[in-house]
Amino acid sequence: MLCTRLTNANIVTMDPDRPAARDLGIWRGRIVGLDEAVTSLPAREVVDLQGATVLPGFIDSHVHLAWAGLKQNAPSVAPCRRAEDVLAAVAEATSRTGAPGDWVDVMGYDQRALGRHLTAAELDTAAHGRKVFLMHDSGHGCVVNSAVLELLPAGVPHRDGFLAEGAMAAVRRLRLPYAQADLADAVERAARTCLAEGVTAVAEAGIGGGLLGHSPVELGAYQLLRDQGRLPLRVQLMAAADTLRPRAAHPRDGLPRALDLGMRTGFGDDWLSLGALKIYTDGGMMARTAALTEPYAGTDHTGQLQDDPERLAQLVVDGHLAGWQLAVHAIGDRAADLALDALERAQRLRPRPDARHRIEHAGLIRPDQLPRFARLGVSAVVQPTFLYSFGDDYAQVMGERRAPWMYRGRGFLDHGVTLVGSSDRPVTDGAPLRAVQFMVERASASGRPIGPGEAITVEEALHAYTVAGAHACRWDAVAGSLTPSKRADLVVLAEDPRRVETSRIGGIEIVATFVDGQRATEAGKL
């Protein structure tokens, strides 16, 4: 007997061997058959979907759940457009949070709305004796007040209280790590939001260290959720590269650096597992720290790499030699050059044809770099909604010639590169359907065309959030399409994204989300 049969549905399987169906049978969390294979079978529950569209559950291949959940509950200055309004919001947060000497986190900071960065001296006027950490929305910078600057080791660079990249990490090291229970609560909050948007599986892009790690024992927070039955979707964890340490392993193992106990990509189960090793090579466009080969328009500034180029390249090589899948953060084209060079060098030393290495963001990719992605078999894990939300600004700082190279779609596909959709939540909106709409329209929120030649079809955009996401996360044998024997992870939509006006795709109602064959209720509980 089936556990559930979905009937009278417009099932878009994303499986080229059988692209459509009307009925789908579920047994013990797996798809057991379509149409005639299940229509006559008894089922404990029969769900008449009355013509609604069913797709594989969306896979968001690059998110920050803990940061997103913490941000949901933290004071924010996001609505503010004037420095005095930001300072007023900070003053309110510090006056009602903690005690003198405590740390106060304030989210939503973006200097572009103000025309300049705030300063430590300005934050001092609103600090009420607290240590203020004003987090940049990109995750690549922060502003702190003088009470924090006084604690930093000598030589940590900052500009009147603004710290970027590694300097921001130095601030984070001054603080106690978050407690696992608090991180677990944050992850659950963010995961429920993902579910409501049709996302059934995510890749958490960096735990345990790096710019956005929240605790050296961060994995324990996810295990806590799993043990308590509170993990509402499937999570693959990327370990931050600075968690690798030199290990005295046997020479034949070929492990110059490794995670404790030699754990690597693939450890875990269907709900919680280790994915790629996350390696940062540069910063971000919002903070103007993405590493470019030519300066940002109107400046002589080309961004920055996270470390000495050879040290970064060696980290890529060592991760590859240790058996990891690699997720190399490279937003600017100079960073992409470094990443591609290092990945090519690693594959020469120890060929691994199915390593499935990924470049995260691939925010500015020159035409000459596209064939290298293809030749190396590297996936491009892009965030389409960045250009919807920030496209006007990005196009301005890149200039007319380079703007079409940002967060490409068609260029990757035409070169045979696996194009993977993701959000980088909470940097901007995480809803996959809104990203799909942008990938087809290639227009910013203001309506400005951003590289219209990079537009792709609705079907190709859906592929990026289903089949390609499963490939990038090494889940293709069990997810990404509605194929018998795969997980019963799916999303029910009120309309078919392929059959509505493109401008309406982002607003299509999510009727239901199923994970492991179970439906999420209106309260967000499975």
Side-chain angles (χ1 to χ4, degrees):
M1 176 180 285
L2 299 174
C3 297
T4 306
R5 185 173 74 248
L6 306 181
T7 189
N8 191 22
N10 170 34
I11 300 172
V12 183
T13 67
M14 304 304 294
D15 180 351
D17 292 334
R18 184 163 190 170
R22 301 291 294 174
D23 283 25
L24 181 148
I26 299 170
W27 185 70
R28 293 189 177 181
R30 296 277 174 160
I31 298 166
V32 295
L34 301 167
D35 287 346
E36 67 280 357
V38 298
T39 300
S40 61
L41 296 179
R44 294 191 184 95
E45 178 187 29
V46 177
V47 181
D48 185 345
L49 291 178
Q50 301 178 36
T53 294
V54 178
L55 280 163
F58 297 126
I59 297 171
D60 193 334
S61 299
H62 185 118
V63 302
H64 301 281
L65 290 182
W67 178 21
L70 291 168
K71 187 175 181 179
Q72 286 178 24
N73 273 20
S76 177
V77 298
C80 303
R81 294 294 178 267
R82 301 184 307 163
E84 51 266 40
D85 295 334
V86 173
L87 293 173
V90 172
E92 181 182 358
T94 56
S95 67
R96 57 183 172 82
T97 306
D102 285 353
W103 287 85
V104 177
D105 290 326
V106 182
M107 303 289 184
Y109 173 68
D110 186 346
Q111 88 287 354
R112 296 172 304 169
L114 311 178
R116 65 176 179 86
H117 280 297
L118 292 180
T119 67
E122 287 175 309
L123 283 186
D124 290 343
T125 66
H128 291 101
R130 275 70 166 176
K131 301 180 185 75
V132 179
F133 183 85
L134 186 57
M135 181 75 167
H136 196 277
D137 257 350
S138 67
H140 288 270
C142 65
V143 181
V144 299
N145 63 334
S146 299
V148 177
L149 293 179
E150 291 167 359
L151 300 175
L152 284 170
V156 174
H158 69 89
R159 299 197 303 273
D160 293 327
F162 174 71
L163 301 98
E165 310 303 341
M168 181 183 71
V171 174
R172 296 174 76 97
R173 286 193 291 271
L174 297 173
R175 310 180 57 175
L176 278 176
Y178 283 89
Q180 287 187 355
D182 294 338
L183 289 175
D185 290 344
V187 168
E188 184 179 19
R189 278 194 298 273
R192 297 287 175 199
T193 302
C194 292
L195 270 184
E197 295 171 346
V199 176
T200 57
V202 302
E204 167 71 62
I207 65 164
L211 291 176
L212 294 171
H214 295 90
S215 165
V217 291
E218 196 166 355
L219 174 58
Y222 293 85
Q223 288 185 292
L224 180 63
L225 283 177
R226 181 82 170 94
D227 292 345
Q228 294 177 348
R230 296 167 50 205
L231 190 63
L233 45 64
R234 304 183 196 278
V235 179
Q236 186 180 87
L237 302 169
M238 299 185 198
D242 54 3
T243 60
L244 295 190
R245 297 287 184 270
R247 300 296 176 197
H250 194 283
R252 285 206 306 270
D253 293 336
L255 304 179
R257 283 184 272 188
L259 206 62
D260 284 345
L261 303 179
M263 288 190 297
R264 57 178 173 82
T265 302
F267 183 81
D269 60 22
D270 279 354
W271 284 91
L272 182 63
S273 61
L274 273 180
L277 184 72
K278 175 72 176 294
I279 300 175
Y280 286 95
T281 65
D282 71 343
M285 287 188 190
M286 291 172 65
R288 309 300 195 242
T289 52
L292 311 178
T293 52
E294 299 177 25
Y296 289 89
T299 78
D300 59 0
H301 177 57
T302 57
Q304 66 188 78
L305 296 172
Q306 292 284 354
D307 200 347
D308 172 78
E310 181 51 38
R311 281 198 291 269
L312 289 171
Q314 191 60 53
L315 184 55
V316 170
V317 170
D318 287 354
H320 174 88
L321 295 178
W324 286 89
Q325 179 189 20
L326 303 179
V328 186
H329 167 115
I331 292 184
D333 60 328
R334 178 158 57 105
D337 279 335
L338 186 153
L340 293 168
D341 288 346
L343 290 170
E344 187 168 18
R345 175 175 150 195
Q347 289 283 19
R348 281 199 306 267
L349 290 172
R350 181 176 295 171
R352 288 172 51 204
D354 195 35
R356 301 199 197 183
H357 296 323
R358 314 158 33 145
I359 289 187
E360 308 299 300
H361 307 297
L364 185 76
I365 300 299
R366 301 187 310 271
D368 64 286
Q369 293 174 316
L370 293 170
R372 295 197 68 196
F373 272 78
R375 188 170 68 253
L376 291 169
V378 174
S379 298
V381 183
V382 300
Q383 297 76 41
T385 309
F386 276 17
L387 290 187
Y388 176 79
S389 300
F390 314 128
D392 293 346
D393 173 63
Y394 285 11
Q396 181 178 347
V397 299
M398 288 302 113
E400 183 177 353
R401 180 173 60 89
R402 291 182 294 178
W405 303 348
M406 294 190 296
Y407 296 93
R408 291 175 177 270
R410 176 57 54 203
F412 284 126
L413 292 180
D414 284 353
H415 282 81
V417 177
T418 300
L419 177 68
V420 183
S422 69
S423 69
D424 205 13
R425 149 191 339 257
V427 176
T428 190
D429 176 31
L433 285 175
R434 283 193 277 275
V436 166
Q437 179 176 323
F438 172 80
M439 295 173 89
V440 180
E441 290 182 329
R442 294 290 300 195
S444 70
S446 73
R448 176 176 183 166
I450 309 289
E454 290 295 320
I456 62 177
T457 68
V458 175
E459 289 83 355
E460 289 167 334
L462 293 172
H463 186 277
Y465 277 90
T466 54
V467 178
H471 174 85
C473 295
R474 308 185 71 87
W475 285 329
D476 43 316
V478 292
S481 66
L482 300 180
T483 303
S485 81
K486 290 192 175 183
R487 300 169 181 161
D489 296 350
L490 52 92
V491 58
V492 182
L493 308 178
E495 298 177 274
D496 187 337
R498 306 168 304 166
R499 304 286 181 259
V500 303
E501 291 293 326
T502 303
S503 61
R504 293 183 51 227
I505 292 174
I508 292 174
E509 178 190 357
I510 307 293
V511 176
T513 305
F514 286 74
V515 181
D516 213 38
Q518 298 186 58
R519 179 176 178 160
T521 70
E522 291 75 14
K525 302 292 184 183
L526 287 178

